[in-house]
Amino acid sequence: LTFAVVGACMVAAIVQTLCAAWTFEQAMGRATATIAEPLRDDLLQRRTWWDRIFENVRLRPIFYAAYAFACIGSFTFTILFDQAVDLSVWTEFSNGILMPPIVFTLWYLSAFQLPEEWRLGRVYKWVLFLVFLICSVFCLGSIFFSLGD
């Protein structure tokens, strides 16, 4: 069980840092590589692995800089603050506070604001509402249990 938890945490850390870097790249207005994928793949296959790395970094400098910053920032934060339990409690607290408004905003947008062909169906919309409501009650209820310890 311990190896499973450690593995899940490692995957979550990788996904979080990659998503942060990708989101930052998109927010800066840079899309993915400008070279067409088949042509790019053909060009990269004829090069050494070192050249391929430099080519990818050259094509997406914002992504790789943001990814390095996220990794270095996370590492620095972990080294400087040794209160992992307090951080875990505050993370649970902030998740409990922030999850309901975010989930219900996304539900509202997908149920009522999307174009008609992309909106949620009549039954599916209310099933999701009920599932999100149950999850939100548990999230908000977990705040009291986390602060009680």
Side-chain angles (χ1 to χ4, degrees):
L1 183 63
T2 302
F3 286 121
V5 171
V6 169
C9 289
M10 290 172 62
V11 169
I14 292 168
V15 169
Q16 283 290 89
T17 52
L18 286 173
C19 286
W22 178 72
T23 302
F24 186 74
E25 179 186 43
Q26 292 293 321
M28 295 299 292
R30 292 286 306 248
T32 56
T34 56
I35 298 176
E37 290 299 323
L39 176 63
R40 181 172 169 256
D41 290 341
D42 184 50
L43 290 173
L44 292 179
Q45 285 178 356
R46 290 184 260 146
R47 296 184 177 179
T48 65
W49 65 272
W50 192 251
D51 291 333
R52 289 186 298 222
I53 290 173
F54 280 119
E55 182 67 17
N56 284 332
V57 171
R58 187 186 69 75
L59 290 172
R60 298 179 68 190
I62 294 173
F63 172 78
Y64 288 102
Y67 184 71
F69 179 75
C71 290
I72 291 168
S74 300
F75 176 75
T76 304
F77 184 82
T78 303
I79 295 299
L80 293 178
F81 300 102
D82 59 346
Q83 297 295 328
V85 174
D86 291 342
L87 179 62
S88 177
V89 170
W90 282 108
T91 301
E92 184 179 337
F93 179 79
S94 62
N95 279 338
I97 294 290
L98 296 174
M99 196 280 294
I102 291 171
V103 167
F104 281 108
T105 300
L106 291 174
W107 174 82
Y108 175 77
L109 292 173
S110 64
F112 298 107
Q113 299 299 319
L114 286 176
E116 190 64 40
E117 65 269 10
W118 299 106
R119 286 186 191 167
L120 297 174
R122 291 181 193 155
V123 175
Y124 188 55
K125 171 178 27 178
W126 297 110
V127 169
L128 279 181
F129 180 81
L130 182 63
V131 169
F132 292 157
L133 181 65
I134 292 169
C135 291
S136 296
V137 167
F138 277 104
C139 280
L140 294 173
S142 71
I143 294 171
F144 301 109
F145 289 111
S146 67
L147 294 178
D149 292 336

